[in-house]
Amino acid sequence: NFMLIQPHSVSESPGKTVTISCTRSSGRIASNYVHWYQQRPGSSPKNVIYEDNKRPSGVPDRFSGSIDSSSNSASLTISGLKPDDEADYFCQSYDASARVFGGGTKLTVL
Amino acid sequence: EVQLVESGGGLVQPGRSLRLSCAASGFTFDDYAMHWVRQVPGKGLEWVSSISWNSATILYADSVRGRFTVSRDNAKNSLYLQMNSLRVDDMALYYCAKGGASQYDAFDVWGQGTIVTVSS
């Protein structure tokens, strides 16, 4: 199976924009959808991006997703950062036999 | 309201068994794939198992294959995870999650989790 590699942590100031990367170790990132989840401390995960770049109902348009085939990675971008965005973020994809989560990125909003 | 409620967690000795349940409500259960995901507190998410709407497709992580069995009862709107030969490294918070019509869809609803502790 492949792995999804995320930075351990990122930090940025309120009002700024942050991008979290998710690199697929083998196989093409564009071959299978990438989904993103937000997990605030003490809470269950919440889907914030599905199918690479779609937002579930209720997720603000400050959240966006993209795929870059040249780097074989997906990205989650959060603009206009709010203190409430401070959380762990996980990417997830799949192949025919497994579902795979990235290791997670802790976002600190300074 | 769409809701998933896990139960069945607890303290169990290594080598013993435990059966987790997930009660679903607020949606047409038999239209959707369902999944189990676990998380050691303070660590990342680990996918455990998936089952399609009609149980025709069942997948397991390598770490649990041969020891865990996923099943569902669509008449009871319930998902199950039978965990045998439990090991210390199975200790985690176990979430059930709702998938989409396709088993490749995102996990769009999560329960609150049930904790499994494996210790002698």
Side-chain angles (χ1 to χ4, degrees), chain A residues 32-53:
Chain A
N32 308 103
Y33 287 129
V34 176
H35 313 301
W36 290 90
Y37 303 89
Q38 175 195 65
Q39 187 178 33
R40 295 189 175 104
S43 296
S44 301
K46 170 189 172 185
N47 177 227
V48 293
I49 293 289
Y50 67 100
E51 294 180 2
D52 299 340
N53 55 19

Side-chain angles (χ1 to χ4, degrees), chain B residues 4 17 20 26 46 48 70 83 85 93 95 100 103 108-109 118:
Chain B
L4 299 171
S17 299
L20 305 184
E46 181 188 11
V48 173
V70 66
M83 304 187 295
S85 304
L93 181 65
Y95 293 105
Q103 60 177 312
D108 63 356
V109 180
V118 183

Side-chain angles (χ1 to χ4, degrees), chain A residues 49-72:
Chain A
I49 293 289
Y50 67 100
E51 294 180 2
D52 299 340
N53 55 19
K54 299 181 175 66
R55 276 188 314 277
S57 173
V59 174
D61 60 6
R62 300 185 298 107
F63 289 78
S64 62
S66 63
I67 295 292
D68 181 356
S69 295
S70 65
S71 59
N72 213 39

Side-chain angles (χ1 to χ4, degrees), chain B residues 88-99:
Chain B
V88 171
D89 60 2
D90 293 318
M91 196 157 51
L93 181 65
Y94 282 73
Y95 293 105
C96 79
K98 170 183 168 291

